[in-house]
Amino acid sequence: MPIEFAKYHGLGNDFILIDNRHSSEPVITPEQAVDLCDRHFGIGADGVIFALPGQNDTDYTMRIFNSDGSEPEMCGNGIRCLAKFIADLEASEIHPQPPQASGGSESKSEYRIHTGAGVIITELRSDGQVKVDMGVPRLLAAEIPTTLAAPDAKVIDVPLEVAGKSWSVTCVSMGNPHCITFVEDVSAVALETVGPQFEHNPAFPQRTNTEFIQVIRSEYVKMRVWERGAGVTLACGTGACAAVVAGVLVGKCDRATAVELPGGILEIEWAEVSGRIYMTGPAQRVFTGCISH
């Protein structure tokens, strides 16, 4: 049966979006997702995202298969794309004609989305940006998870041997694991070489995303990322959030910090009173199509 899809990206972190509201299980397998994500023989994407029926008083459920077929708990850029996709779907149901690329103007502006990292709230703003309440970061080693500290201890500025070098790392979970290290020059990091060695390091039993951060000013940093299950990507929303948390913990960043990624800028705020992280950034539709099996 043909499956309609839409391609979206958040700062170049690109996804295949599928309307899966008629079923509580994804309509394609992880193996099929790998084929679809292939940039030479498929559609090309960092992952496939499914909009499933909501559960536990949420509007929708998000599931995602990475380009290697693995399933992460959540994806920050991906959930912004999902929010735009849902708004465009709802707008098209109000009006038979397809919505414009900026779509969703007459649909709901806020969604409660169930994810593997908990309930995430997205808000489509009038300026086209999507603001996401990413929840409270988890800082204990057992929550990340990592063996770099005792289960009930935080991992802040801890040495880790990778690729024949000692790196000072701070670990944060945004519902998925992140290992953050601060460097003098992010452009000098050989991501393709050191990224896989971080991801598969025995200190991370569920593997890890890895963020390399260059502090330009306390409120502005540059970041490159190696994503668990996807490799080098142009942006990582959960990673940008984790990076700012790590920056605050080690005294390098303000609680409101702009994170410059290869694909663009995300605005991150770690609220002092509530402890919640807010991420604001774009999400854009690229094209739509149909998959034939």
Side-chain angles (χ1 to χ4, degrees):
M1 178 181 295
I3 300 171
E4 293 183 352
F5 73 91
K7 176 81 175 282
Y8 283 71
H9 80 88
L11 299 181
N13 197 190
D14 57 342
F15 305 94
I16 298 163
L17 279 294
I18 294 177
D19 181 0
N20 212 118
R21 292 175 295 173
H22 60 284
S23 171
S24 60
E25 290 296 322
V27 293
I28 66 170
T29 65
E31 293 75 20
Q32 290 171 320
V34 171
D35 292 338
L36 293 175
C37 289
D38 189 290
R39 297 190 182 278
H40 299 286
F41 297 100
I43 297 167
D46 291 320
V48 180
I49 296 175
F50 306 88
L52 295 99
Q55 50 185 299
N56 301 327
D57 297 322
T58 58
D59 298 305
Y60 293 92
T61 296
M62 171 188 184
R63 287 185 64 183
I64 175 172
F65 294 150
N66 284 325
S67 57
D68 71 348
S70 61
E71 183 172 358
E73 298 85 351
M74 217 280 287
C75 173
N77 289 315
I79 202 163
R80 293 200 319 277
C81 291
L82 177 61
K84 274 289 184 74
F85 175 61
I86 290 168
D88 286 348
L89 283 177
E90 293 183 351
S92 69
E93 290 166 354
I94 295 171
H95 299 291
Q97 295 299 318
Q100 298 300 315
S102 60
S105 60
E106 294 190 37
S107 59
K108 186 175 177 179
S109 63
E110 185 174 292
Y111 300 103
R112 289 172 52 83
I113 301 174
H114 184 275
T115 77
V119 176
I120 304 294
I121 300 172
T122 63
E123 176 192 351
L124 279 73
R125 301 194 329 189
S126 59
D127 61 0
Q129 299 282 93
V130 182
K131 183 176 182 179
V132 184
D133 179 348
M134 300 287 286
V136 178
R138 302 164 199 174
L139 304 177
L140 302 184
E143 298 173 319
I144 289 162
T146 180
T147 59
L148 288 175
D152 60 349
K154 297 177 183 178
V155 182
I156 302 173
D157 257 344
V158 172
L160 176 64
E161 290 288 330
V162 175
K165 175 183 174 180
S166 180
W167 306 74
S168 181
V169 304
T170 297
C171 297
V172 177
S173 173
M174 291 302 306
N176 56 353
H178 293 272
C179 176
I180 301 96
T181 185
F182 292 86
V183 298
E184 289 296 319
D185 181 4
V186 288
S187 65
V189 177
L191 275 185
E192 293 82 356
T193 300
V194 301
Q197 296 185 56
F198 270 96
E199 177 181 355
H200 297 280
N201 191 284
F204 302 102
Q206 294 181 16
R207 300 186 292 161
T208 189
N209 301 279
T210 309
E211 288 77 33
F212 301 87
I213 310 299
Q214 177 184 347
V215 178
I216 307 302
R217 300 183 301 275
S218 62
E219 80 286 358
Y220 194 98
V221 301
K222 289 185 177 181
M223 168 178 145
R224 293 178 68 203
V225 58
W226 178 272
E227 288 201 54
R228 179 186 62 166
V232 177
T233 60
L234 295 179
C236 176
T238 56
C241 293
V244 171
V245 171
V248 172
L249 292 175
V250 300
K252 294 180 182 291
C253 294
D254 295 343
R255 284 185 171 268
T257 294
V259 180
E260 179 187 330
L261 302 122
I265 294 175
L266 288 173
E267 299 290 342
I268 309 297
E269 179 187 0
W270 187 16
E272 190 164 6
V273 175
S274 68
R276 304 184 76 82
I277 289 273
Y278 297 94
M279 170 189 64
T280 302
Q284 296 180 319
R285 189 175 59 158
V286 184
F287 61 85
T288 60
C290 188
I291 304 164
S292 298
H293 289 289

